[in-house]
C-alpha cells in the first residue's frame, strides 16, 4: 500500500521503545521481523483479536477510542491468564490513508501500550474495510497462569470492577451521546483491561475468564471447562456507574448479566483467599465483589437468563 | 460473530496439535490464550501480515490457495531471519460463513502449517470484507538471526530459487488462467516460503531479506540498512519456469527485477561461504544463484531500473 513505510515509520516505530533489556527487544521494527528475549522459566501467552468497523465499533467512533479499544480487548485476554503484558503487533486496514485519523488512532493505541509497559514489535498497514487486528504477547512464570478449568465446588465467584457498562455505553452511543467523559460511554469506548488485577490474582484464583461476551456467556465457558456449575446472587452484581439511571434497575441487571464488552474478570477462588484478593485489588483502586458460589451441579442458578442467550456485538444497519 | 465458536472448534482446533513437548505448547486453543514454552537461549522472532481481498488476492482466488498464501507470506519473514517456525495465529474476516469455503481455506493453511512444523495457537473469526491477518512466531539461537544490516563490500549477492514468478503468475491470472498446476500460476498463488533455506544460511550469510515487493525494492532495503551498494548482473538473474515463454525475455527480466510476491531470499555472503551455501541449498532441492556483488558505493548498478520504481500488489478495479 502506498505510504505504508512512511506510516509505519512515523506512527508505529517512534514509540516502539529502544531495543534493550527492559523491553526484552533485541532488534526493533525495521527488519523482516523483530527479535525478543523471553524471560527464563516463563511461559508465553498469546492471543489475537480483530475489531471490524460496523461490527465491533460504529463507523463514526473516535479514532483515538478505536486505537485504545483495539489493544485493550486483546490485552484483556492476557489479564484473564494472569500474564505480564510484554509485546504486541498491530495489523491495521484502512480504506484510505488519512494522516489525522491515523495520528489519533496511534495516540489511543500507544497510551494503552505504554500504560501496560508493552512494546509494539510488528505492524502491517493494508487497504480495505477499516479493521484492526491486534496480537498480544505476555509472560507468566511456568505453571502459574490463570486458566478456565480450575474452579471447584465451594469456590467464591467474584468480579472485578462493575458490569453492564459496555452495553450501557453502547445504548448511550445509539442515543447520540458523544461525550467520552460520560462514565458509561467511556466504559464502552475506552475499556480498561484488568491485567494488573490478573497479576494480583495469581496464586489466589482457581480459575478466571474475561467478560467480553457477557457475564453469563463467559462464566458459562469457565464452568464448562471446570466441570462445575454456579449459583449467582443477582442482587449482588456490581452495576456500572450511571447504568441504573440510564436503563432502570431491571434492564441494568440484564445488561450486567448478558451485556458484552465489559472486559472485567470473573474469578473463582477458595473462600479463604477472597479477602486477600479483595485487599490486593483495592490497592489497585479496583472493586472485587462476590457474586455467587461454584456448585458441583452444572448450570447457573439464581438468575433468570433463559430469555437472554447471549450478546451480539455492535452491528451496523445491514446485519 | 454467530458461529465463531463452531468454526474455530471445527476448522482451527483439530489441527492445532496436542499440547506437549514437541509443539512447545503447554495449553492449547480453548482458554483465553494459549501457553507456550520458548526454547532456552533462543530469541523469539515475530511478524504479522494481512492479505485483503481485492488488494493482495483477486476476489475469485481459490480458498485453498488463499489459506496457503496467507500463511506463506508471513512465514517468509521468518525465513528471512533464519528462524525455526514454531507457532502462528490467524485472524480471519469473512463476509459470511460459507462452510465449504472455510474448509478449503483451512486445508490450504494447515498444509503449510504442518509442513513448517508450526502449531496454530490462536484465532479469531469476524465478519466483514474478506481478509486474513497471520502472526507467525519463530525461534533462533540468541545472536544468530539473519538481519538486513550485515552486508559488507565484496560479499556475493545471491538469490534462492527463481524470480519473476509472482508477477508472471499474476499476469497469467489476469489472462484467465486458472490451472494451479501451471508453474507460473502456482508461483503466484502458492508461494513457497524459504524457511529451510533460512535455517541453512545461518552462520553463512551476512545479511538476508525476502523478496515480497520486488528484488530491487527489497535489495534496496538490505543495502540501505547495511550502508552499502550493489552491482547486479542482470543476465544472471534466475527466471521462473515458463516466464520467458509467457512474457518474452525483456519483460521476464523486468518481472524478475521489480515483480513482487516471489518470496525468495536475497542474501549477501562472503565469497568463501558461497559454495557451502549453494551445496546446502542444493540438498533442499533449491537453486542458489549469484546475481552480483556488494559494493562500498551506494546505489544499485548494472541494471536499468530507473523507470520501475516498485511493485504494486494486485489491485481490484477500483484502485
Amino acid at each position: 500500500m502506498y505510504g505504508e513505510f512512511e506510516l509505519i515509520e512515523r506512527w508505529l516505530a517512534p514509540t516502539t521503545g529502544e531495543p534493550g533489556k527492559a523491553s526484552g527487544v533485541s532488534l526493533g521494527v525495521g527488519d523482516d521481523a523483530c527479535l525478543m528475549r523471553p524471560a527464563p522459566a516463563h511461559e508465553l501467552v498469546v492471543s489475537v483479536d480483530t475489531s471490524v468497523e460496523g461490527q465491533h465499533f460504529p463507523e463514526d467512533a473516535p479514532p483515538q477510542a478505536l486505537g485504545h479499544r483495539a489493544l485493550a480487548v486483546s490485552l484483556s485476554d492476557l489479564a484473564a491468564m494472569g500474564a505480564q503484558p510484554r509485546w504486541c503487533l498491530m495489523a491495521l486496514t484502512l480504506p484510505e490513508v488519512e494522516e489525522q485519523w491515523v495520528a489519533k488512532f496511534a495516540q489511543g493505541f500507544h497510551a494503552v501500550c505504554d500504560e501496560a509497559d508493552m512494546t509494539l514489535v510488528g505492524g502491517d498497514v493494508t487497504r480495505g474495510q477499516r479493521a484492526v487486528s491486534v496480537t498480544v504477547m505476555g509472560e507468566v512464570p511456568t505453571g502459574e497462569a490463570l486458566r478456565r478449568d480450575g474452579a471447584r465446588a465451594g469456590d467464591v465467584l467474584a468480579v472485578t470492577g462493575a458490569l453492564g457498562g459496555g452495553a450501557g455505553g453502547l445504548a448511550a452511543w445509539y442515543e447520540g451521546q458523544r461525550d467520552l467523559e460520560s462514565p458509561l460511554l467511556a466504559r464502552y469506548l475506552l475499556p480498561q483491561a484488568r491485567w494488573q488485577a490478573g497479576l494480583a490474582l495469581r496464586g489466589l484464583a482457581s480459575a478466571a475468564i474475561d467478560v467480553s461476551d457477557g457475564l453469563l456467556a463467559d462464566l458459562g465457558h469457565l464452568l464448562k471447562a471446570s466441570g462445575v456449575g454456579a449459583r449467582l446472587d443477582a442482587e449482588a452484581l456490581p452495576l456500572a456507574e450511571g447504568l441504573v439511571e440510564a436503563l432502570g434497575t431491571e434492564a441494568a441487571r440484564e445488561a450486567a448479566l448478558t451485556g458484552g464488552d465489559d472486559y472485567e474478570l470473573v474469578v473463582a477462588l477458595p473462600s479463604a483467599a477472597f479477602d486477600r484478593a479483595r485487599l490486593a485489588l483495592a490497592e489497585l483502586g479496583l472493586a472485587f465483589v462476590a457474586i455467587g458460589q461454584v456448585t458441583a451441579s452444572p448450570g447457573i442458578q439464581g438468575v433468570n437468563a433463559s430469555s437472554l442467550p447471549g450478546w451480539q456485538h455492535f452491528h451496523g444497519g445491514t446485519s
Side-chain angles (χ1 to χ4, degrees), chain A:
Chain A
M1 171 181 185
Y2 181 73
E4 176 183 354
F5 292 117
E6 294 79 358
L7 264 185
I8 290 180
E9 268 180 36
R10 177 139 189 198
W11 298 115
L12 306 188
T15 42
T16 52
E18 284 302 300
K21 212 167 176 182
S23 67
V25 175
S26 35
L27 180 65
V29 169
D31 210 301
D32 290 284
C34 282
L35 296 177
M36 292 104 73
R37 300 202 175 166
H42 281 63
E43 287 171 307
L44 269 177
V45 188
V46 296
S47 184
V48 63
D49 278 289
T50 303
S51 303
V52 180
E53 185 172 80
Q55 291 291 326
H56 304 89
F57 57 91
E59 285 184 25
D60 49 351
Q64 199 164 341
L66 182 52
H68 172 113
R69 202 173 183 287
L71 180 51
V73 303
S74 285
L75 192 52
S76 182
D77 285 321
L78 295 188
M81 304 298 288
Q84 174 72 51
R86 296 303 308 273
W87 308 293
C88 57
L89 301 97
M90 179 219 293
L92 180 61
T93 304
L94 297 173
E96 57 194 328
V97 179
E98 302 159 77
E99 184 145 344
Q100 280 282 66
W101 192 95
V102 174
K104 286 180 186 165
F105 173 88
Q107 198 180 336
F109 188 94
H110 288 306
V112 176
C113 197
D114 293 347
E115 199 179 286
D117 212 10
M118 298 187 98
T119 306
L120 183 65
V121 294
D124 193 15
V125 182
T126 49
R127 188 170 296 202
Q129 181 189 7
R130 187 171 287 146
V132 55
S133 186
V134 177
T135 300
V136 287
M137 306 171 67
E139 292 183 315
V140 63
T142 300
E144 292 187 21
L146 305 179
R147 299 166 53 148
R148 295 181 178 181
D149 59 4
R152 296 292 168 260
D155 278 354
V156 173
L157 285 171
V159 292
T160 61
L163 297 169
L170 180 57
W173 179 272
Y174 275 130
E175 283 169 9
Q177 289 186 39
R178 294 294 180 269
D179 178 10
L180 284 178
E181 304 283 311
S182 142
L184 278 183
L185 207 55
R187 285 301 305 257
Y188 171 59
L189 286 173
L190 303 169
Q192 303 297 314
R194 303 305 190 190
W195 60 273
Q196 289 168 303
L199 295 180
L201 289 165
R202 283 197 320 224
L204 296 173
S206 39
I209 192 169
D210 71 321
V211 181
S212 53
D213 294 327
L215 175 68
L216 291 181
D218 291 310
L219 176 60
H221 296 313
L222 181 152
L223 298 174
K224 190 180 169 197
S226 298
V228 292
R231 182 186 320 281
L232 290 188
D233 176 3
E235 311 223 332
L237 294 175
L239 302 178
E241 187 186 342
L243 193 63
V244 170
E245 292 81 344
L247 303 182
T249 306
E250 195 163 337
R253 199 164 287 157
E254 222 172 275
L257 285 169
T258 64
D261 297 324
D262 278 337
Y263 301 105
E264 298 292 353
L265 300 181
V266 55
V267 177
L269 72 177
S271 56
F274 176 72
D275 277 339
R276 263 174 67 200
R278 194 171 48 80
L279 286 173
L281 269 57
E283 279 179 29
L284 300 171
L286 196 58
F288 192 56
V289 175
I291 59 166
Q293 205 169 25
V294 177
T295 60
S297 58
I300 300 180
Q301 275 112 46
V303 292
N304 181 6
S306 58
S307 62
L308 304 158
W311 169 252
Q312 298 298 313
H313 286 289
F314 172 87
H315 284 279
T318 57
S319 49

